[in-house]
Amino acid sequence: MGAGVVAVGSESGDYHELLDPNRKWYNNKRLIALNGWIFLLLITSSTNGYDGSMMNALQSEKTWNAYFNHPHGGQLGLLNAIQNIGCLAAYPFAPYVSDGLGRRTTIFFGSCIMLVATGIQTAAQSVGMFIGARFLIGFGLTFAANAAPMLVTEVSYPLYRAPLTSLYNSLWYSGAIVAAWTTFGTEYMKHSTWSWRLPSLFQGSAALAQFFLIWFVPESPRWLVSKGRDSQAIHTLAYYHADGNEQDPLVIYEYEEIKAALELDRTVGKNVGWKALFTTRGNLKRLRIIVALAWFSQWSGNGLVSYYLTKVLNNIGITSATDQLLINGILQIWNLFWACTAALMVEKAGRRLLFLVSTSGMLLFFTLQTIMTARYLKTLDNGEAHAVIAFIFLFYAFYDLAFTPLIVSYTVEILPYPIRAKGFTVFNFTISCALIFNQYVNPVALDHISWKYYIVYCCWLAFELVYLYFFLVETKGLSLEQTSALFDGEDASQAQVMGVGIGDTVAGPSVPSDDKAASDSFSDKAVEKA
């Protein structure tokens, strides 16, 4: 059996000449269906957005506050942070379930946990019960959130893979919008615990949709090949990417690429442990960017409004629950618009420019927000309070230019294949740690030093801008090999980063006998294409 020759690391590959120019997302029934199933995966991130927006809004709900004896300080911090603590608890297990049982099974498992947790949260009779349910929501969400973005990447039509992956994080705000406007509506249910129980119940909406529909989503061809189910992988690629034609050059290319990547994983990846992240200068450069972006994404002042908007608005005299919930709802729509717009600008504007413009804008408008808040507390001028609100909206417009759509895609982009999963785990772990720290510290600091706490973030944003200016690397328009050279030097190819010699090639893995004929045919055609 012949095997197609695939350059090491050419994971994204030069596939453009293999694409049918007439096959578009809007005129091909199978691509429309595929993108519909991908949307079911994209809404996984909306659960996280829903949680932050709901907890923000519940702090304005008088019934919720009275029912749980007005949580404040450390207890309020724990109520917000416990969901991310649940996420941390699941990190050691989620990748193994995803690789062992499959992407769809992992999403289904996570959805089951979240549905049970949502039921407990809705029926909560005490703060402890509410906290325990939120821990379980975070625990289940980690399984779904581990598998969903990988499945998006692995089943997407190649032409639309980058924007769809960027949209994953941007749709965080779709959940935030639903939560904000749900709580705005239920606020009118005076003196009824359903004013907070209904929003708690609706938090399970995305999980419920995935519970019933996930088995209609195509399984990852990469996972199928890894389990020796090559014929199913070929059928999936052909059905959605080539109108069922298993001899289409694009299908052949994708299949051979998957085989080469899996063989690389077996022959090289098994020798690359966690130590590899710290043993080369290139990987240390990657690590300092990944950790920084993960921390900056949660520690740029956005955590104040994302989880404690009520306290921020109370500081400027806006104490009406209706007004606070209305501002929260409009802000989430504003965020979704800018995040989705930025996701579509990534390839044109470049990563470095977006990050620098984003951080500069955040620094400017957060500083103005701080100044106007301090002035309001001296003058009690409503005009200055309104200015604070305007600066919050402008701050988020700049935050959404880079830190919503780019942090995931850029992290994956700069990591070589064998250390990608480990590097991404470090990224997610750092985000959770930053969130937990934020959610605990912010309410305590706001209670003790009020607006002066904003000065900490002004200084930190200035540090972020300097850090990103000196250390962030532009990867726009570069292949994986060229990106690797930026980190490892012009003399180091991506093959060296992955632990194999320059010029080495990887042959596709052998397959079970029932798939052997199909594999032989595919390999021969791939060689012809090469």
Side-chain angles (χ1 to χ4, degrees):
M1 179 180 73
V5 179
V6 182
V8 172
S10 59
E11 215 177 327
S12 58
D14 187 13
Y15 57 80
H16 291 88
E17 71 276 9
L18 305 178
L19 299 175
D20 182 349
N22 298 316
R23 188 180 293 132
K24 304 293 184 181
W25 67 268
Y26 52 83
N27 66 7
N28 185 281
K29 291 182 179 179
R30 295 190 182 185
L31 279 185
I32 292 171
L34 176 62
N35 289 336
W37 297 128
I38 287 174
F39 179 77
L40 183 69
L41 304 174
L42 294 175
I43 62 174
T44 305
S45 66
S46 71
T47 303
N48 234 339
Y50 189 103
D51 185 82
S53 184
M54 182 189 75
M55 289 305 299
N56 215 342
L58 290 183
Q59 294 170 54
S60 298
E61 286 276 3
K62 293 180 181 178
T63 308
W64 182 82
N65 275 288
Y67 194 88
F68 292 116
N69 199 25
H70 300 278
H72 63 280
Q75 186 183 59
L76 181 59
L78 178 61
L79 275 164
N80 275 306
I82 192 64
Q83 193 249 23
N84 281 291
I85 295 173
C87 289
L88 278 179
Y91 279 145
F93 312 107
Y96 296 101
V97 176
S98 188
D99 287 341
L101 301 181
R103 313 314 194 208
R104 296 187 304 176
T105 302
T106 305
I107 293 170
F108 181 78
F109 178 63
S111 298
C112 290
I113 295 175
M114 284 189 284
L115 287 174
V116 172
T118 299
I120 297 172
Q121 179 177 266
T122 304
Q125 302 296 309
S126 65
V127 172
M129 190 172 175
F130 196 84
I131 288 173
R134 287 180 49 68
F135 175 89
L136 285 176
I137 289 172
F139 190 83
L141 179 60
T142 294
F143 288 94
N146 177 268
M150 288 194 293
L151 189 51
V152 169
T153 299
E154 291 162 354
V155 301
S156 293
Y157 190 63
L159 188 62
Y160 306 122
R161 187 168 294 146
L164 285 172
T165 304
S166 295
L167 278 174
Y168 178 85
N169 216 39
S170 299
L171 287 182
W172 189 97
Y173 289 118
S174 64
I177 289 171
V178 174
W181 289 102
T182 300
T183 49
F184 179 78
T186 59
E187 195 266 334
Y188 290 95
M189 301 170 67
K190 305 291 185 183
H191 312 299
S192 171
T193 59
W194 283 105
S195 63
W196 62 265
R197 292 190 194 276
L198 271 181
S200 296
L201 181 64
F202 290 161
Q203 186 166 6
S205 299
L208 186 66
Q210 292 177 336
F211 178 86
F212 284 109
L213 297 176
I214 191 61
W215 301 114
F216 294 98
V217 178
E219 181 56 275
S220 160
R222 187 185 190 283
W223 182 81
L224 289 170
V225 173
S226 75
K227 299 302 178 184
R229 294 157 61 177
D230 293 46
S231 59
Q232 287 179 256
I234 293 167
H235 176 75
T236 298
L237 290 169
Y239 184 87
Y240 287 105
H241 293 185
D243 295 323
N245 180 12
E246 296 187 359
Q247 306 305 316
D248 188 282
L250 177 63
V251 176
I252 297 169
Y253 182 91
E254 290 183 291
Y255 174 65
E256 289 296 334
E257 187 178 50
I258 290 169
K259 291 206 304 175
L262 288 171
E263 181 65 15
L264 176 66
D265 195 19
R266 277 193 285 266
T267 59
V268 179
K270 66 183 180 182
N271 299 319
V272 179
W274 288 95
K275 186 180 178 182
L277 289 170
F278 310 96
T279 52
T280 71
R281 182 174 296 180
N283 286 345
L284 286 173
K285 290 179 182 177
R286 294 179 175 96
L287 199 60
R288 75 184 178 195
I289 292 175
I290 291 167
V291 171
L293 287 180
W295 194 269
F296 294 170
S297 71
Q298 306 304 323
W299 240 73
S300 297
N302 54 306
L304 290 172
V305 171
S306 293
Y307 289 92
Y308 301 105
L309 178 61
T310 299
K311 288 183 175 294
V312 172
L313 295 179
N314 284 341
N315 269 345
I316 55 173
I318 299 174
T319 56
S320 164
T322 301
D323 291 344
Q324 291 179 350
L325 293 170
L326 184 61
I327 290 170
N328 186 36
I330 296 172
L331 179 61
Q332 304 313 329
I333 295 173
W334 171 264
N335 285 335
L336 180 63
F337 168 78
W338 284 106
C340 291
T341 300
L344 301 176
M345 291 169 49
V346 168
E347 288 301 319
K348 293 181 180 178
R351 287 68 163 156
R352 180 177 168 84
L353 176 62
L354 285 177
F355 272 114
L356 292 178
V357 170
S358 173
T359 310
S360 299
M362 286 193 294
L363 174 59
L364 172 63
F365 290 112
F366 198 87
T367 302
L368 291 173
Q369 177 189 334
T370 303
I371 294 170
M372 288 296 104
T373 301
R375 285 182 59 84
Y376 170 82
L377 292 173
K378 286 185 177 182
T379 65
L380 299 182
D381 183 346
N382 286 334
E384 289 167 344
H386 295 157
V388 171
I389 296 173
F391 293 142
I392 288 173
F393 275 76
L394 290 169
F395 167 88
Y396 265 97
F398 279 92
Y399 177 88
D400 293 329
L401 282 181
F403 284 92
T404 299
L406 273 178
I407 56 171
V408 171
S409 55
Y410 183 80
T411 295
V412 171
E413 218 168 46
I414 66 174
L415 286 167
Y417 185 78
I419 63 169
R420 186 167 298 158
K422 294 178 178 64
F424 201 59
T425 298
V426 170
F427 171 80
N428 283 321
F429 181 81
T430 305
I431 283 182
S432 291
C433 290
L435 275 169
I436 292 168
F437 182 83
N438 242 355
Q439 290 161 344
Y440 266 119
V441 171
N442 283 344
V444 176
L446 287 172
D447 284 345
H448 283 80
I449 58 175
S450 185
W451 70 270
K452 296 182 181 69
Y453 182 49
Y454 298 176
I455 298 173
V456 174
Y457 284 110
C458 292
C459 297
W460 182 259
L461 281 165
F463 167 75
E464 285 186 16
L465 182 58
V466 173
Y467 189 98
L468 292 174
Y469 180 82
F470 284 106
F471 295 120
L472 195 74
V473 175
E474 179 59 80
T475 59
K476 174 188 173 184
L478 299 180
S479 68
L480 293 179
E481 290 83 356
Q482 290 168 326
T483 300
S484 179
L486 289 176
F487 288 92
D488 301 290
E490 292 298 331
D491 296 330
S493 71
Q494 187 168 10
Q496 288 175 305
V497 177
M498 293 183 173
V500 294
I502 299 175
D504 286 354
T505 55
V506 178
S510 59
V511 296
S513 57
D514 61 338
D515 287 316
K516 183 171 172 50
S519 180
D520 285 342
S521 173
F522 269 62
S523 297
D524 292 342
K525 292 179 183 297
V527 172
E528 290 172 10
K529 287 299 299 178

